[in-house]
């Protein structure tokens, strides 16, 4: 949804609030727009009423109207195009299935109950672009380990993986661990893949027979506030081998 509800106030000629006024809302039928929780609201004793709205996946600036009889107001809004997927399970899917993860930027319901990290990365690969970036977050609120059983995870462009945390400041703790079971590199990133970011993950027990025990990158990658634990590469880059940007 939007960062805040759309709020309208109705005042009379003496600037006193007017209650019981029905305010109707309108938005563009195509392109960048929103869907409303309700098409109208009724002012209360303070002369105000509000509705919530959810942006669609189209990028751009547009106008939302509010009207009550001859009175009218307008909101100018901009959709930045951020896709959002929530990882809800710690199991590792055999193959990434994008449809297992609802895009929270365009769906008002709860996140899919079977969205794995591999699924979310597949969804990001299918939807992310320079104008519509993707955020992957985690529903877990306690320490959680994702044991990779089906090969390395493939990082797509224009995607941020934001690990769950607890605490703050010096007591901030990363809750999500991706574990390669001492068998595989955890993440790979192909040449030409850009603007990928990993924040607040613990990456453990990655292994490569060559380079990049945790991450083997040929693209452009940023890793922030993350921990590498017990990783190994036979040649070089036990944590990260970056051959891109």
């Amino acid at each position: 949804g939007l960062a805040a509800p759309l709020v309208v106030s109705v005042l009379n000629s003496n600037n006193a609030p007017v209650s019981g006024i029905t305010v109707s809302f309108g938005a563009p039928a195509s392109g960048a727009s929103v869907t409303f929780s309700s098409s109208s609201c009724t002012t209360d004793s303070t002369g105000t009423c509000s509705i919530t709205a959810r942006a669609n996946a189209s990028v751009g600036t547009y106008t939302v109207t509010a009207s009550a009889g001859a009175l009218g107001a307008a909101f100018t809004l901009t959709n930045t195009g951020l896709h959002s997927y929530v990882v809800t399970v710690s199991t590792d899917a055999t193959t990434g299935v994008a449809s297992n993860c609802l895009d929270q930027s365009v769906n008002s319901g709860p996140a899919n109950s079977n969205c794995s990290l591999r699924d979310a990365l597949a969804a990001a690969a299918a939807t992310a672009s320079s104008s519509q970036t993707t955020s992957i977050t985690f529903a877990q609120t306690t320490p959680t380990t994702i044991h990779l059983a089906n090969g390395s995870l493939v990082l797509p462009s224009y995607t941020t993986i934001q690990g769950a945390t607890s605490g703050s400041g010096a007591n901030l703790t990363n809750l999500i661990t991706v574990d390669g079971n001492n068998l595989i590199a955890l993440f790979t990133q192909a040449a030409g893949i850009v603007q990928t970011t990993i924040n607040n993950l613990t990456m453990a027990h990655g292994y490569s027979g060559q380079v990049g025990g945790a991450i083997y990158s040929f693209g452009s990658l940023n890793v922030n506030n993350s921990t590498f634990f017990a990783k190994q590469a036979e040649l070089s880059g036990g944590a990260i081998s970056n051959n891109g940007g």
Side-chain angles (χ1 to χ4, degrees), residues 63-116:
T63 299
V64 168
T65 59
S67 59
L71 302 176
F75 301 86
T76 300
L77 306 176
T78 300
N79 291 357
T80 60
L82 178 68
H83 296 284
S84 176
Y85 301 102
V86 180
V87 175
T88 54
V89 296
S90 60
T91 51
D92 182 31
T94 303
T95 59
V97 179
S99 61
N100 284 345
C101 305
L102 280 177
D103 187 347
Q104 296 300 298
S105 70
V106 294
N107 290 278
S108 58
N112 278 23
S113 60
N114 62 335
C115 177
S116 71

Side-chain angles (χ1 to χ4, degrees), residues 109-166:
N112 278 23
S113 60
N114 62 335
C115 177
S116 71
L117 178 54
R118 195 178 298 274
D119 294 332
L121 287 167
T127 58
S129 68
S130 59
S131 62
Q132 294 185 307
T133 59
T134 292
S135 172
I136 295 174
T137 58
F138 296 81
Q140 291 80 5
T141 57
T142 57
T144 300
T145 299
I146 299 171
H147 289 280
L148 300 183
N150 299 290
S152 303
L153 297 169
V154 179
L155 296 171
S157 291
Y158 308 113
T159 297
T160 296
I161 301 173
Q162 177 60 58
T165 61
S166 64

Side-chain angles (χ1 to χ4, degrees), residues 162 165 172 174 198-203 223-227:
Q162 177 60 58
T165 61
L172 185 72
N174 296 340
I198 297 175
N199 296 326
N200 299 103
L201 279 189
T202 297
M203 289 168 266
V223 179
N224 305 302
N225 303 316
S226 297
T227 302

Side-chain angles (χ1 to χ4, degrees), residues 45-66:
S45 60
T46 68
T48 63
C49 70
S50 65
I51 63 169
T52 58
R54 179 173 289 273
N56 65 15
S58 297
V59 177
T61 298
Y62 55 97
T63 299
V64 168
T65 59

